[in-house]
Amino acid sequence: MAKPTARDLAAAAGVSLSTVDRVLNNRGGVSEDKERRVLEYARKLKIDRALNQRAARTLRIAVLLQSRANPFHAAVQDSFEAANRDFLQYNLQFQVHHIDPTRPAATVTLVNALSSRCDALVIVSPQNEDIAAALRAYGRNGKPVITLATDIRDAERYAYVGPDNRKAGRVAGDLMGRLLGEQGGEIVVISGMLSMIGHEEREMGFRAVLRERYPQCKVAEVLESMERGERAGDLVFNALKGNPRIRGIYNASAGARSVVSAMNALGRRNEIVFITHELTDERRQLMREGLIDAIIDQDPALEVRAAVEALAAHFGRKDDPPACLTTSIHIHMIENC
């Protein structure tokens, strides 16, 4: 069979020969839709020059995250900045914008402003009706929105990329029940913000497992740190000071260091099981010192890679999207941290 030619490609993609030439030789001047069709059919026809072709047009992707003060968001930002270097073939340029989860109106204003300046959007945000409406409006222009790590209801997003947070909460609950043993005890749950779907799901999964399998364990309080690490420590200090029956702390958000400090200040560390999320360098060290019992990690670098590949597939710069956009979680304890 004869090797496919540029003329065959032009016919398959429904474009002119000059358009094929511009795309395959990175000359520019081609609309996004035509470029996507040419690259898609070039790969299907196995035209060698297109197999690893770098798309000519740079697509600008806005990434909306909390500031680097939150360790998880710092890791996500680092991974997106690395993606600008590691996935050159897709020609996607990621730019991080910091948002305050307690100021949804400012996030709405930013989303609206970005609608004319970027080609896609990735967001980690609490649930909010106005934010969801802004994302719906953004997507009506055919621009994809990806929610990362925590979903946003009614946003009509292109995809959610991240862990099954309810399952992560169930894993935390199972670990807590096993570590507390037959004696059980009362537990304090610290959520970053229950308006974050991911945090809400973690708390629900945690409670469900205790109810199903560990009736000797009881959630005494569910408190919100508002994603502020120092506030998490204050909440734990006050809870422990007022309730000597507390034997477990499940912190689903930031503030591991301040939680440990609160336990130490009251001389309660050795009698408390402490479980949290995200294997940062600081939390790894705390675990090695015996100050954290278990960490459930969702691997932000893997989440970012899945988001990048999902966007590349959407824009025709990758043949297939990732096989699964639900990313795995990993349990870390002192012997494997």
Side-chain angles (χ1 to χ4, degrees):
M1 183 180 293
K3 194 171 183 179
T5 65
R7 190 176 298 279
D8 296 325
L9 175 54
V15 299
S16 68
L17 272 172
S18 62
T19 296
V20 167
D21 175 72
R22 284 182 175 277
V23 172
L24 294 187
N25 292 290
N26 280 325
R27 300 188 199 282
V30 177
S31 71
E32 176 188 328
D33 180 62
K34 288 182 178 179
E35 179 187 77
R36 178 169 53 194
R37 293 208 311 271
V38 169
L39 290 176
E40 176 186 351
Y41 281 97
R43 293 190 184 100
K44 288 179 180 179
L45 294 171
K46 300 189 184 304
I47 292 178
D48 293 342
R49 279 186 296 165
L51 293 180
N52 295 302
Q53 179 72 36
R54 184 175 188 265
R57 179 172 175 264
T58 299
L59 297 177
R60 291 172 174 80
I61 317 297
V63 181
L64 278 56
L65 306 171
Q66 291 179 40
S67 75
R68 297 185 63 86
N70 184 304
F72 172 74
H73 291 261
V76 172
Q77 179 170 340
D78 288 344
S79 295
F80 272 114
E81 290 172 353
N84 287 331
R85 303 185 298 271
D86 296 341
F87 298 96
L88 295 176
Q89 70 273 26
Y90 301 145
N91 204 2
L92 306 177
Q93 188 67 35
F94 297 93
Q95 182 175 10
V96 172
H97 302 262
H98 290 150
I99 59 174
D100 183 339
T102 66
R103 299 180 59 211
T107 300
V108 169
T109 299
L110 178 59
V111 170
N112 292 338
L114 290 170
S115 63
S116 62
R117 292 160 37 195
C118 61
D119 302 284
L121 188 146
V122 180
I123 184 169
V124 185
S125 167
Q127 177 66 37
N128 177 274
E129 290 183 6
D130 293 335
I131 292 175
L135 295 175
R136 289 197 302 273
Y138 180 95
R140 289 193 192 108
N141 298 321
K143 297 180 177 182
V145 171
I146 287 183
T147 54
L148 188 78
T150 181
D151 209 354
I152 300 175
R153 298 187 186 104
D154 302 320
E156 297 179 7
R157 46 43 170 187
Y158 167 62
Y160 163 69
V161 176
D164 180 333
N165 283 296
R166 189 183 297 264
K167 181 180 290 185
R170 289 183 65 88
V171 168
D174 188 61
L175 285 168
M176 183 66 75
R178 290 173 183 273
L179 292 172
L180 288 179
E182 292 184 4
Q183 181 181 351
E186 296 191 11
I187 302 160
V188 172
V189 175
I190 306 294
S191 171
M193 296 177 73
L194 287 171
S195 60
M196 280 195 170
I197 301 302
H199 290 187
E200 176 192 44
E201 291 174 339
R202 286 177 181 179
E203 187 264 342
M204 292 170 64
F206 185 85
R207 280 182 178 273
V209 166
L210 297 186
R211 188 169 55 247
E212 293 165 15
R213 293 205 292 273
Y214 302 101
Q216 73 277 21
C217 299
K218 175 186 174 184
V219 174
E221 293 183 275
V222 178
L223 306 170
E224 291 182 280
S225 67
M226 307 309 292
E227 294 284 82
R228 289 165 43 207
E230 69 281 3
R231 177 174 166 82
D234 293 341
L235 292 171
V236 167
F237 183 89
N238 292 332
L240 292 178
K241 191 172 181 180
N243 186 352
R245 297 180 301 279
I246 292 172
R247 295 191 61 235
I249 295 171
Y250 172 42
N251 180 24
S253 184
R257 171 70 69 180
S258 63
V259 169
V260 167
S261 296
M263 291 189 290
N264 286 337
L266 294 170
R268 302 275 314 268
R269 175 61 198 98
N270 291 334
E271 57 189 75
I272 303 289
V273 171
F274 179 27
I275 296 173
T276 189
H277 287 257
E278 318 315 339
L279 188 67
T280 64
D281 290 341
E282 179 183 67
R283 295 182 188 196
R284 188 191 304 272
Q285 185 58 41
L286 290 172
M287 175 170 280
R288 287 173 176 168
E289 294 171 9
L291 301 173
I292 298 177
D293 295 282
I295 296 174
I296 300 163
D297 188 59
Q298 65 188 68
D299 195 346
L302 177 63
E303 291 175 349
V304 168
R305 181 184 184 93
V308 170
E309 292 183 346
L311 288 169
H314 172 82
F315 287 111
R317 300 183 175 191
K318 184 179 185 298
D319 288 340
D320 300 300
C324 182
L325 296 177
T326 302
T327 54
S328 58
I329 58 172
H330 306 277
I331 301 169
H332 296 269
M333 302 180 79
I334 194 166
E335 294 298 336
N336 71 330
C337 72

